[in-house]
Amino acid sequence: MANCNTFTAIILFLTLATVGKTQPVPPQRQPILLQRIPTPTGTVGPETIKFDRSGAGPYTGVSDGRIVRWNSTQNRWINFAVTTPNRTGCEGPFDHTLTESRCGRPLGLSFNQKTRELYMADAYFGLLKVGPNGGVARQLASAAQGKRFGFTNAVVVDQNTGIVYFTDSSARFPRPLFPLIIATRDDTGRLLKFDPKTNAVTVLANKLMFPNGVALTRNGEFLLVAETTNNRILKYRLKSSGPGNPVGRIGVFAKLPGQPDNINRNKDGGFWVALISSVVPNYTGLGLAARLDRNGKVVEILRDQFGTRFKAASDVLENRGSLWVGSSTEPAVVRLAA
Ligand SMILES: *[C@@H]1O[C@H](CO)[C@@H](O)[C@H](O)[C@H]1NC(C)=O
Ligand SMILES: *[C@@H]1O[C@H](CO)[C@@H](O)[C@H](O)[C@H]1NC(C)=O
Ligand SMILES: *[C@@H]1O[C@H](CO)[C@@H](O)[C@H](O)[C@H]1NC(C)=O
């Protein structure tokens, strides 16, 4: 009898272990569309979504180089900032990939909640910032270690220290050629740091394969960086926890069922990661995102055409019970039930 129970227990254990291994696809959820806000006339690609300290927003950067803020009372976008003063020929209903190197393409946005300044990563103009009233942003950095940034992409401000972390996705390929970064396994991406007290720019990591979104863990112990080409999130240690774990050590935080774009921390310390493509069976090419717990485990997949044929999610941000979703190609921002 005892032997039989042991045998049964072993079989049960083996079965569960096998199920665990052959079930790489986590629970999936069909989101509920609450609102769809078209981007300003003639523009597409609200790549990143942010709200300011007072809860106003969303703010987003669009294809013609403007950073706009949604005013829900007036039900319209208000111009907030630009990354270059000369806007001649920048706006209008045409393909902005032809003008973006001159007009700017602000991708990453992150507020310093204390100073209310908005930091931005523009694909062509590097790291910039603007005050709480907006206007023309001031450039803070366009090169590091003598090498110009090729494709500045994402930024996050550490709210405790004011330090700014950002990514340069490739030294070789500009933004519109991003598929080539993946196809050629380009490894010229860099993870960078800007210290507003000294204006110093530091290279934290070299040889990354399409470093994209950045986020900080709640305790500030790690800086997370999405490595798009490798379907994973890396963690860069910011605080030492003993001799075996020095500052600057890099490890894998999460393996993902697709190529990650931006990453945002949630209230509970977990993260939403937008996936620009996916290897989840049958869902290739549709808007998709993964929710991670605070340890990097994928706990949920959000997949949908959002009822509006919304493709290529680039950012998912939880805000007051809603999920705000941006896209690098769609002409709208959508709000989903959280
Ligand atoms: C939105 O517009 C209203 C009416 O003009 C104004 O009172 C309010 O301050 C604006 N809010 C934001 C966030 O811009
Ligand atoms: C602004 O850009 C336009 C278009 O490239 C150019 O013709 C013009 O000279 C620029 N103006 C200034 C003041 O730089
Ligand atoms: C994918 O689609 C094929 C064809 O429609 C279907 O046979 C298969 O079961 C689907 N796989 C999954 C995981 O849904």
Side-chain angles (χ1 to χ4, degrees):
M1 210 46 203
N3 277 345
C4 189
N5 276 343
T6 308
F7 185 69
T8 308
I10 287 170
I11 290 292
L12 184 62
F13 173 79
L14 288 175
T15 306
L16 287 176
T18 311
V19 167
K21 273 197 191 116
T22 56
Q23 214 172 29
V25 182
Q28 302 193 7
R29 175 157 65 95
Q30 179 78 23
I32 298 161
L33 180 70
L34 300 177
Q35 194 178 0
R36 185 180 192 278
I37 305 176
T39 51
T41 308
T43 71
V44 297
E47 216 255 0
T48 307
I49 306 271
K50 282 294 177 325
F51 290 83
D52 67 21
R53 187 174 78 182
S54 69
Y59 291 71
T60 190
V62 290
S63 57
D64 68 5
R66 278 182 285 168
I67 291 149
V68 291
R69 176 176 67 199
W70 179 248
N71 184 311
S72 53
T73 315
Q74 296 183 43
N75 217 40
R76 67 184 184 102
W77 295 100
I78 309 289
N79 289 338
F80 180 72
V82 286
T83 51
T84 175
N86 187 350
R87 301 282 304 160
T88 307
C90 291
E91 292 171 26
F94 52 84
D95 181 359
H96 295 125
T97 56
L98 305 172
T99 47
E100 66 179 46
S101 65
R102 183 170 63 76
C103 299
R105 184 68 171 99
L107 298 173
L109 302 176
S110 184
F111 282 98
N112 178 317
Q113 304 289 358
K114 283 192 194 109
T115 65
R116 297 172 59 218
E117 291 164 314
L118 177 62
Y119 285 84
M120 50 199 90
D122 182 290
Y124 301 90
F125 298 119
L127 183 71
L128 307 97
K129 78 170 178 185
V130 74
N133 299 319
V136 180
R138 183 156 70 83
Q139 192 178 55
L140 301 170
S142 59
Q145 288 181 342
K147 276 192 209 155
R148 284 192 65 80
F149 304 147
F151 173 4
T152 330
N153 194 332
V155 59
V156 65
V157 176
D158 184 329
Q159 302 300 336
N160 294 316
T161 62
I163 303 268
V164 180
Y165 300 98
F166 62 106
T167 52
D168 181 19
S169 294
S170 172
R172 211 167 271 148
F173 300 106
R175 193 202 71 87
L177 300 181
F178 76 87
L180 290 177
I181 303 178
I182 299 167
T184 65
R185 298 190 63 76
D186 173 63
D187 67 351
T188 60
R190 298 191 287 175
L191 178 62
L192 302 129
K193 166 181 158 176
F194 172 80
D195 184 340
K197 292 197 186 83
T198 61
N199 290 333
V201 182
T202 315
V203 178
L204 300 181
N206 277 303
K207 294 194 75 73
L208 298 177
M209 289 188 169
F210 204 160
N212 203 327
V214 277
L216 290 150
T217 56
R218 188 154 62 182
N219 57 12
E221 199 174 351
F222 291 103
L223 169 64
L224 305 184
V225 55
E227 204 184 16
T228 301
T229 302
N230 288 327
N231 292 359
R232 64 186 184 179
I233 308 284
L234 299 175
K235 55 178 183 181
Y236 176 97
R237 183 170 276 285
L238 291 172
K239 290 179 184 169
S240 171
S241 75
N245 290 312
V247 170
R249 164 162 294 191
I250 294 178
V252 175
F253 179 71
K255 291 185 178 162
L256 301 166
Q259 294 161 333
D261 196 328
N262 284 303
I263 171 165
N264 283 301
R265 196 174 73 229
N266 295 335
K267 277 201 308 281
D268 66 2
F271 301 88
W272 274 109
V273 182
L275 302 176
I276 53 181
S277 74
S278 110
V279 293
V280 176
N282 290 3
Y283 302 126
T284 306
L286 301 186
L288 214 138
R291 187 163 62 83
L292 311 181
D293 68 13
R294 65 182 69 185
N295 301 313
K297 184 177 174 241
V298 180
V299 288
E300 185 180 43
I301 293 284
L302 199 66
R303 54 115 187 137
D304 185 43
Q305 302 172 66
F306 301 142
T308 54
R309 283 178 279 128
F310 195 84
K311 295 187 189 105
S314 57
D315 200 18
V316 178
L317 177 73
E318 198 178 300
N319 183 269
R320 300 182 191 187
S322 293
L323 291 181
W324 289 84
V325 183
S327 164
S328 43
T329 51
E330 292 290 310
V333 162
V334 295
R335 185 165 68 86
L336 310 173

